[in-house]
Amino acid sequence: MKREKELSPEDKMGELVSLCKRRGFVFQSSEIYGGLTGFWDYGPLGVILKKKICDHWWESLVYRRDDIVGLDSSIIAHPKVWEASGHVECFHDLMVDCKECKKRFRTDQVSGDKCPECGGELTTPRQFNLMFQTHVGPSSDTQSLSYLRPETAQSIFTNFKNILASSRQKLPFGVAQIGKAFRNEVTPRNFIFRSREFDQMEMEYFINAQESKRWFDYWVQDRFNWYMELGIKKEKLRLRPHSKDELAHYARECVDVEYNFPFGWQELEGIADRGDFDLKQHINCSKKDLTYYDDETKERFIPAVIETSAGVDRTFLTVLVDAFHVEELENGEVRNLLSLNPKLAPVEVAVFPLVKKLREPTIKLERELKKEFKTFYDEKGAIGRLYRRQDEIGTPYCITFDFQSLEDNAVTVRDRDTMLQDRVPIEKLKDYLGERLK
Ligand code: GAP
């Protein structure tokens, strides 16, 4: 028998952040120098989980379909790209400063004209451009000024003709990209939820504008389902259409996929009807032809775009928050548990000898399983403790090699969620695990 331990939202986040550091999922960037606000490093387990999330996205959009191709473009692009896209002129947050404590806030995150931290008087709101600036080449003047990209999407638009010519796609088709984006956020917060450097998974789906509504609805549903495929609880997910006054400068319509975090409902992904805004802007600014010729209708036009734009780090946080519980067991012990979808677990199978004396055959078994699964060998501690360590990082199966294994060529396989144990012949082990993990 086991019971879920109730945690307050603050305690849940606190426990999770501490687990992330202790077990090597996420570290504060530059920690030994006091950290740098809004920047995070992914540790040995975090990097595997992050990669698995990206692989799952790529698999579902690029490999499993014929109508979407991939791109991996540079982070720094010609500064004209950001003039054309509207980011130089429009990508602002309104911010205020406290005249007393000098803290800075986004206007939409304070109510009234008194500082939420110290009650001091706030300045009048000012616009603040979120793009990080840099200089390309040896001189630092206005000629060399450039930006770290604030979204991955733009290079999909600037490469539209290259992709069309090289991939021979016909409308409707999409271009997918995963990569870094940078925003000098006024108030990074909630762990990795809002940071200054993050990864996006974006897909721009080019269509004939007459089909906008149909494709918009299709992608909203498809992307909502993707989070459920990751194993996220349906009741914690919702779709929220944007009101007209919160639409980004390029969007005609937008629906967010949101998750109910311990700090409230928040955006994971936006699905937006960008119309022909971006291609038109790049045609005007570059004077290059970015139109599409339809051989069937003999028409030439600027395609419209439905965009799906998700954050890798937000998905990562969602996966962890959704899977994390603390259980009180019958014997009074407390276990931290990450009930991760087995497909996402950084360690899929942990292998232990019952006693160190059995190390040799156990390592031999672990090496064999490593050919197919992400395995981990551990002998440091009693079996109960080894199980707890794996439960807290979400390892779906733990295998124990005992004295009887030498006689009957079978091992004990323990299930993370139910804690039930099966005796499985070693020759059937790969099939047994494969059925449950793949
Ligand atoms: N190309 C459209 C675009 O960038 P967005 O709503 O600004 O739209 C898309 O960003 C997604 O990128 C968000 O839904 C979120 O998952 C992620 N994202 C945006 N800003 C972020 C930040 N500061 N930290 C982490 N993720 C962020």
Side-chain angles (χ1 to χ4, degrees):
M1 279 296 289
K2 50 190 182 172
R3 221 160 39 95
E4 181 90 21
K5 186 174 171 200
E6 288 294 325
L7 292 176
S8 70
E10 293 75 24
D11 286 351
K12 183 162 182 179
M13 277 310 288
E15 290 282 334
L16 189 63
V17 172
S18 126
L19 187 156
C20 279
K21 175 172 175 184
R22 187 167 51 205
R23 300 309 309 274
F25 282 94
V26 181
F27 308 127
Q28 192 181 17
S29 164
S30 323
E31 193 189 84
I32 60 166
Y33 292 102
L36 185 61
T37 307
F39 296 90
W40 300 95
D41 297 337
Y42 287 80
L45 295 183
V47 75
I48 303 176
L49 175 56
K50 193 171 168 188
K51 190 168 181 311
K52 284 191 167 193
I53 290 170
C54 293
D55 287 349
H56 185 58
W57 185 87
W58 196 262
E59 183 75 39
S60 71
L61 288 182
V62 182
Y63 290 149
R64 273 197 244 146
R65 306 179 60 116
D66 300 324
D67 59 344
I68 301 183
V69 293
L71 179 72
D72 182 8
S73 66
S74 65
I75 284 170
I76 296 177
H78 197 291
K80 285 239 158 59
V81 170
W82 308 109
E83 287 172 26
S85 69
H87 283 84
V88 171
E89 200 186 331
C90 306
F91 199 52
H92 294 111
D93 267 353
L94 280 178
M95 64 173 189
V96 286
D97 292 304
C98 173
K99 290 181 183 170
E100 302 293 324
C101 71
K102 311 292 177 209
K103 289 233 167 81
R104 185 162 280 182
F105 304 95
R106 254 170 52 185
T107 319
D108 61 350
Q109 286 167 355
V110 289
S111 54
D113 50 12
K114 291 279 171 195
C115 171
E117 298 268 328
C118 77
E121 196 189 335
L122 299 173
T123 58
T124 47
R126 282 179 296 136
Q127 283 194 333
F128 172 75
N129 192 292
L130 297 180
M131 281 195 295
F132 277 101
Q133 296 188 352
T134 187
H135 290 274
V136 175
S139 58
S140 295
D141 52 29
T142 49
Q143 292 295 309
S144 64
L145 178 66
S146 197
Y147 305 95
L148 304 190
R149 65 183 178 198
E151 62 171 18
T152 63
Q154 286 307 317
S155 46
I156 296 182
F157 302 124
T158 57
N159 275 301
F160 177 69
K161 266 277 145 94
N162 284 335
I163 294 170
L164 196 60
S166 57
S167 67
R168 305 173 66 87
Q169 287 285 345
K170 282 192 182 336
L171 248 51
F173 76 94
V175 182
Q177 168 156 237
I178 299 178
K180 291 272 184 203
F182 300 82
R183 296 183 190 177
N184 200 359
E185 296 283 355
V186 180
T187 44
R189 55 167 66 188
N190 292 327
F191 192 32
I192 54 173
F193 179 81
R194 185 181 307 286
S195 51
R196 291 180 166 137
E197 174 177 339
F198 52 96
D199 283 83
Q200 289 187 314
M201 303 179 278
E202 297 200 295
M203 193 278 296
E204 309 299 321
Y205 201 72
F206 297 95
I207 54 173
N208 187 319
Q210 287 154 359
E211 300 191 323
S212 292
K213 176 81 183 106
R214 178 164 82 82
W215 282 114
F216 183 74
D217 294 345
Y218 169 89
W219 282 113
V220 167
Q221 204 49 56
D222 185 272
R223 295 304 306 147
F224 187 82
N225 293 346
W226 184 80
Y227 291 92
M228 286 193 294
E229 271 176 40
L230 275 188
I232 309 299
K233 295 181 193 78
K234 190 177 180 192
E235 67 275 14
K236 294 268 189 165
L237 290 166
R238 74 175 184 194
L239 291 168
R240 190 184 68 81
H242 279 210
S243 58
K244 286 279 172 245
D245 59 352
E246 64 175 318
L247 286 175
H249 63 273
Y250 49 76
R252 295 146 57 106
E253 198 178 351
C254 184
V255 170
D256 285 344
V257 180
E258 294 191 335
Y259 180 77
N260 193 2
F261 286 98
F263 43 89
W265 286 97
Q266 296 285 344
E267 168 188 346
L268 296 182
E269 165 159 3
I271 297 99
D273 175 357
R274 294 180 78 126
D276 61 3
F277 176 87
D278 303 273
L279 288 178
K280 208 179 223 166
Q281 286 291 105
H282 288 302
I283 292 171
N284 290 340
C285 292
S286 69
K287 310 284 180 240
K288 295 282 168 4
D289 174 20
L290 302 178
T291 56
Y292 176 82
Y293 181 71
D294 189 325
D295 328 316
E296 277 171 40
T297 61
K298 311 285 179 225
E299 279 177 318
R300 183 171 285 286
F301 57 92
I302 305 174
V305 172
I306 306 298
E307 170 183 81
T308 70
S309 175
V312 177
D313 314 77
R314 286 191 189 178
T315 309
F316 183 103
L317 184 59
T318 305
V319 163
L320 290 185
V321 165
D322 206 63
F324 180 66
H325 340 244
V326 179
E327 286 180 354
E328 287 167 338
L329 306 182
E330 212 173 28
N331 60 6
E333 252 188 83
V334 170
R335 74 164 180 156
N336 284 346
L337 177 63
L338 272 187
S339 297
L340 292 176
N341 176 343
K343 279 188 280 195
L344 295 179
V347 175
E348 292 164 345
V349 185
V351 189
F352 319 131
L354 182 66
V355 292
K356 284 185 190 161
K357 231 176 158 177
L358 294 167
R359 174 185 292 159
E360 210 181 299
T362 313
I363 290 181
K364 191 168 159 242
L365 174 65
E366 194 253 346
R367 296 257 158 87
E368 188 52 39
L369 293 174
K370 211 181 219 24
K371 293 178 188 161
E372 287 189 34
F373 307 102
K374 296 199 164 48
T375 59
F376 181 78
Y377 172 82
D378 199 357
E379 57 173 33
K380 288 177 228 77
I383 289 294
R385 227 182 111 104
L386 298 181
Y387 284 156
R388 294 292 165 273
R389 262 189 226 151
Q390 295 304 317
D391 290 342
E392 122 169 318
I393 62 166
T395 306
Y397 295 100
C398 290
I399 292 175
T400 307
F401 191 101
D402 53 27
F403 287 107
Q404 207 189 321
S405 308
L406 295 172
E407 311 287 318
D408 66 0
N409 264 317
V411 285
T412 302
V413 181
R414 182 254 196 192
D415 180 287
R416 172 195 68 197
D417 298 330
T418 61
M419 298 194 284
L420 295 176
Q421 305 192 355
D422 253 355
R423 192 83 187 159
V424 181
I426 290 176
E427 58 168 23
K428 300 219 171 108
L429 202 51
K430 281 188 181 169
D431 288 343
Y432 179 97
L433 294 168
E435 273 167 31
R436 288 160 177 81
L437 289 166
K438 298 289 175 202

